[in-house]
Amino acid sequence: MGRVRRRPFHVELIKPSHYDDDGYVIQWLKAWIPSNSLASMYGLTLEAAEQQALGEDVDVRVQAYDETNTVIPLKRIIKRIHKAGGAGLVCMVGVQSNQFPRAMDMARKLRAAGVQVAIGGFHVSGCLAMLPELPADLQEALDLGVTLFAGESEGRFMDLLRAAKAQRMEPLYDYMDELPGMEGQRMPYLPPKVARRYAPMPGTFDAGRGCPFLCSFCTIINVQGRKSRYRSPDDVERLLRANLAHGIRHYFITDDNFARNRNWEAIFDRIAAVRQELGVKLNFTIQVDTMCHKLPGFVDKARKAGVSRVFIGLENVNPDNLKAANKKQNKISNYRDMLIAWQQKRVTTYCGYILGFPGDTPESIAKDIETIKRELPLDILELFCLTPLPGSADHKALVEQGAAMDPDMNIYDLEHVCTAHPTMTEAEWLGAYRDAWDSYYALDHLETLMRRAAAFGRNPKRVMEIALEFYGCLKFERVHPLQGGFVRRKIRTQRRPGLRLEHPLVFHPRRAWEITSTYSRLFVYALRVWMLYRRIRKETRDGAGREYLDDAIRPSEPEAANDAAPVDLTGQGAEPLRVAAGR
């Protein structure tokens, strides 16, 4: 008997980008932040192919695209699916609120060509979880014939593929009340040809999902739930060993708070054992809360496992703002303790900071930034505008109040103003936001950051690199670094519908001038930062910089280190907290 001819079924996974202020898709030659949603869906599609979920005579073929580093070949996708007789499905994966307009613009072209489309991610899930009725943009998707998928795909994706094969997908799949367990589930995976489009070549995985806290601006708790679910150390080890064959050694563990993963110690121990057994340097970025250093052994074991960067939701230093955001777990008195614990292990600290709480004014924001610069030994400060993201308690409350919110989801990207502030105008808010970036990354503060790094035995070069990446992206490319990358691309024909498509003789000369202006200014800034680094490196070579001391790293008096002591880092009454840097 001859071999059974297998018919192709194409699964096209697209992680959309979004539009900049001029209406062009934000895209880079190489992006910085990998998409775990894309990796998760790729892994689940491979699982469906391996298990022949669509039948022995069907060959499931999968392609993955992250639009932040790839021009999406919509015409080729349509042609491929048409050639297969319509056997295919395009999935817009991990779609955040600011990416939904772009996802819909691509979906319109696909649906016009008769291609099946499904959209999932935080925008769809958050709206269904928190709002009493579908917002207009989700209803428009349904009217267009797009299938909406709310919830997580583990244990459900094969059923969706079977429905797509039969051309009988439901308009809406809502699994928000049925969150799957994580142990033993397929691990996220991106093929090397996709991973190479990021710098450095990364791997991602979520060791757990869900968060127990109640931050009002957060969507995690309402999309992934407040009950945490976990992968096992065996799951993680299998992923690491499989990816080593492709040269992947850098990982972003995407847990919203890895310190609250009950398996953190076992996972760190397993990673450390793999590193030692194979003699490879695996490096990890994790996200943690401000109390992680209180867990016995957490910081030590993180470093042994290869954690080189930590992202911390500092959020604010003003106690009234933290209380208003229901961020009760953040205790200002713990900030410096926690930061010094990581600095002593030579781990780079990234701290998120939100501007635009009800009590904020341009003056109070400027004062709080000066407090951070003076009192907290962190490395990278990432600034965000308080945004009522769909899926958050803040958004739900504003909807219920009938408050005015900008209807354009494209600007719900944490760097635009989407709703009114009690005391600041939009211009004042955005001005305070930009001034905060300029203040923190001013050359005099970069010098302080470099000297602090040297005092902890770290190479100040890392400070130079992060200043150029983070501040350079924001200042010169006008894009938040969390959407950043290397070498911005703008495609003339990929402009937001409704905006004029520029003539080539207008677009290309203007783009050439943009590139020249942007990178010449970046070069001048980079040269100044490099010269600063060279001077400090020369002064601190051979450990000479270890004697540097300032308020952020000065050893405290014993009684001042008491965690119960009242602390006010806002400079409005109490003495600055002193914490022993050497303990």
Side-chain angles (χ1 to χ4, degrees):
M1 295 179 62
R3 293 178 59 187
V4 175
R5 184 182 178 186
R6 304 184 69 194
R7 295 170 292 127
F9 184 89
H10 297 283
V11 180
E12 311 281 344
L13 305 174
I14 300 175
K15 171 65 173 176
S17 181
H18 82 125
Y19 299 106
D20 65 14
D21 290 342
D22 295 324
Y24 291 99
V25 175
I26 296 176
Q27 194 172 89
W28 310 86
L29 187 63
K30 285 186 178 288
W32 290 335
I33 309 296
S35 170
N36 190 63
S37 296
L38 186 62
S40 294
M41 293 303 299
Y42 195 93
L44 291 175
T45 309
L46 287 183
E47 183 179 42
E50 292 164 3
Q51 296 185 14
Q52 297 183 333
L54 302 187
E56 295 182 0
D57 63 335
V58 177
D59 181 19
V60 177
R61 301 178 184 178
V62 56
Q63 298 282 339
Y65 316 87
D66 186 337
E67 197 178 21
T68 63
N69 55 35
T70 305
V71 178
I72 307 300
L74 287 182
K75 291 182 179 179
R76 289 208 303 269
I77 290 172
I78 292 170
K79 183 178 179 180
R80 197 155 46 227
I81 293 176
H82 280 178
K83 187 177 180 181
L89 172 65
V90 176
C91 297
M92 304 286 178
V93 305
V95 180
Q96 300 170 16
S97 293
N98 68 85
Q99 298 161 348
F100 195 81
R102 175 59 182 164
M104 282 294 293
D105 289 339
M106 288 189 283
R108 290 186 186 93
K109 294 180 181 179
L110 292 164
R111 291 298 299 139
V115 173
Q116 297 181 107
V117 179
I119 299 180
F122 267 68
H123 184 65
V124 173
S125 298
C127 288
L128 285 170
M130 300 296 285
L131 299 180
E133 57 186 33
L134 283 181
D137 56 355
L138 296 192
Q139 186 59 55
E140 181 186 359
L142 293 178
D143 295 341
L144 192 65
V146 172
T147 289
L148 299 179
F149 191 99
E152 298 172 11
S153 296
E154 285 81 5
R156 290 85 180 245
F157 189 55
M158 291 188 196
D159 290 337
L160 181 69
L161 291 180
R162 293 186 186 103
K165 178 194 171 188
Q167 302 278 325
R168 294 179 179 175
M169 287 197 301
E170 298 290 335
L172 172 64
Y173 293 85
D174 186 355
Y175 294 107
M176 292 304 298
D177 295 330
E178 305 173 43
L179 298 176
M182 297 300 297
E183 190 166 350
Q185 297 282 6
R186 188 72 174 220
M187 292 294 289
Y189 171 75
L190 282 179
K193 68 176 182 179
V194 178
R196 278 193 290 268
R197 294 182 179 273
Y198 301 96
M201 184 174 171
T204 72
F205 64 90
D206 41 7
R209 295 177 189 165
C211 180
F213 297 126
L214 291 170
C215 309
S216 65
F217 52 78
C218 181
T219 61
I220 292 284
I221 55 177
N222 302 311
V223 173
Q224 294 187 339
R226 293 190 59 216
K227 181 180 179 182
S228 297
R229 296 157 288 133
Y230 312 100
R231 298 189 193 271
S232 72
D234 290 340
D235 295 333
V236 174
E237 181 177 350
R238 279 193 293 269
L239 172 75
L240 299 179
R241 290 182 181 274
N243 279 347
L244 273 173
H246 303 297
I248 296 176
R249 291 174 169 81
H250 302 275
Y251 287 89
F252 178 28
I253 303 179
T254 61
D255 296 39
D256 189 58
N257 186 353
F258 189 72
R260 299 305 158 195
N261 187 313
R262 70 183 181 195
N263 294 332
W264 70 262
E265 187 170 17
I267 290 174
F268 279 157
D269 288 345
R270 187 69 63 88
I271 294 172
V274 170
R275 282 164 53 96
Q276 184 174 9
E277 175 195 342
L278 301 180
V280 295
K281 291 185 177 180
L282 299 173
N283 295 303
F284 296 86
T285 299
I286 62 173
Q287 301 180 99
V288 295
D289 61 33
T290 58
M291 293 294 291
C292 61
H293 63 297
K294 296 290 188 180
L295 294 171
F298 184 86
V299 174
D300 286 337
K301 294 204 170 195
R303 193 68 188 102
K304 289 178 182 177
V307 171
S308 57
R309 303 181 181 186
V310 294
F311 181 88
I312 303 144
L314 192 70
E315 316 308 8
N316 213 269
V317 296
N318 188 310
D320 292 334
N321 286 342
L322 292 172
K323 184 177 180 181
N326 214 11
K327 193 81 173 176
K328 298 176 182 178
Q329 70 273 16
N330 276 28
K331 304 294 183 182
I332 295 174
S333 57
N334 291 315
Y335 285 170
R336 192 185 295 157
D337 258 332
M338 175 268 302
L339 291 165
I340 286 178
W342 289 113
Q343 292 283 8
Q344 288 174 336
K345 297 298 178 181
R346 295 195 282 188
V347 173
T348 303
T349 54
Y350 297 63
C351 291
Y353 195 81
I354 300 174
L355 308 177
F357 285 105
D360 280 340
T361 64
E363 294 75 22
S364 71
I365 289 172
K367 188 173 184 179
D368 290 344
I369 296 299
E370 289 303 315
T371 296
I372 291 172
K373 290 164 61 176
R374 183 180 64 250
E375 300 290 341
L376 298 181
L378 57 90
D379 296 311
I380 304 171
L381 191 65
E382 300 181 23
L383 296 155
F384 306 96
C385 291
L386 183 63
T387 303
L389 292 172
S392 68
D394 284 347
H395 181 266
K396 181 181 180 181
L398 290 175
V399 169
E400 291 174 345
Q401 296 165 14
M405 289 185 286
D406 199 299
D408 183 8
M409 288 292 113
N410 186 70
I411 67 169
Y412 283 66
D413 54 4
L414 309 182
E415 57 178 315
H416 287 85
V417 172
C418 306
T419 188
H421 189 273
T423 60
M424 293 189 291
T425 65
E426 179 179 351
E428 288 173 334
W429 190 348
L430 288 175
Y433 169 76
R434 298 188 183 108
D435 289 346
W437 280 98
D438 291 341
S439 174
Y440 188 83
Y441 289 96
L443 287 178
D444 61 342
H445 188 55
L446 290 181
E447 178 175 353
T448 298
L449 295 178
M450 291 182 187
R451 293 192 182 280
R452 287 176 185 166
F456 284 106
R458 298 169 53 204
N459 189 341
K461 183 180 180 181
R462 184 62 190 135
V463 173
M464 175 184 71
E465 293 170 344
I466 60 182
L468 295 179
E469 288 179 14
F470 281 73
Y471 182 65
C473 187
L474 185 286
K475 184 70 174 179
F476 303 109
E477 288 284 10
R478 297 186 300 148
V479 174
H480 195 282
L482 289 188
Q483 305 173 65
F486 292 118
V487 187
R488 176 75 194 275
R489 293 195 297 198
K490 286 187 180 181
I491 309 298
R492 184 184 69 88
T493 55
Q494 292 194 354
R495 198 174 195 190
R496 192 174 188 183
L499 295 178
R500 181 172 56 86
L501 195 63
E502 295 181 305
H503 191 279
L505 294 180
V506 174
F507 174 83
H508 293 297
R510 182 180 60 77
R511 182 62 185 142
W513 169 249
E514 277 184 0
I515 293 172
T516 302
S517 174
T518 296
Y519 288 99
S520 61
R521 290 183 295 123
L522 177 59
F523 175 78
V524 171
Y525 177 73
L527 182 62
R528 295 176 69 189
V529 176
W530 180 79
M531 292 174 65
L532 174 64
Y533 158 72
R534 292 284 295 175
R535 174 168 62 84
I536 293 176
R537 185 63 171 162
K538 181 179 180 180
E539 294 174 3
T540 59
R541 188 174 288 119
D542 301 322
R546 292 296 186 95
E547 74 279 1
Y548 175 79
L549 207 60
D550 64 20
D551 284 348
I553 61 176
R554 189 186 309 278
S556 68
E557 298 296 329
E559 62 273 13
N562 186 347
D563 285 340
V567 176
D568 181 1
L569 280 182
T570 64
Q572 296 175 353
E575 289 293 321
L577 177 66
R578 309 292 186 206
V579 177
R583 72 181 184 189

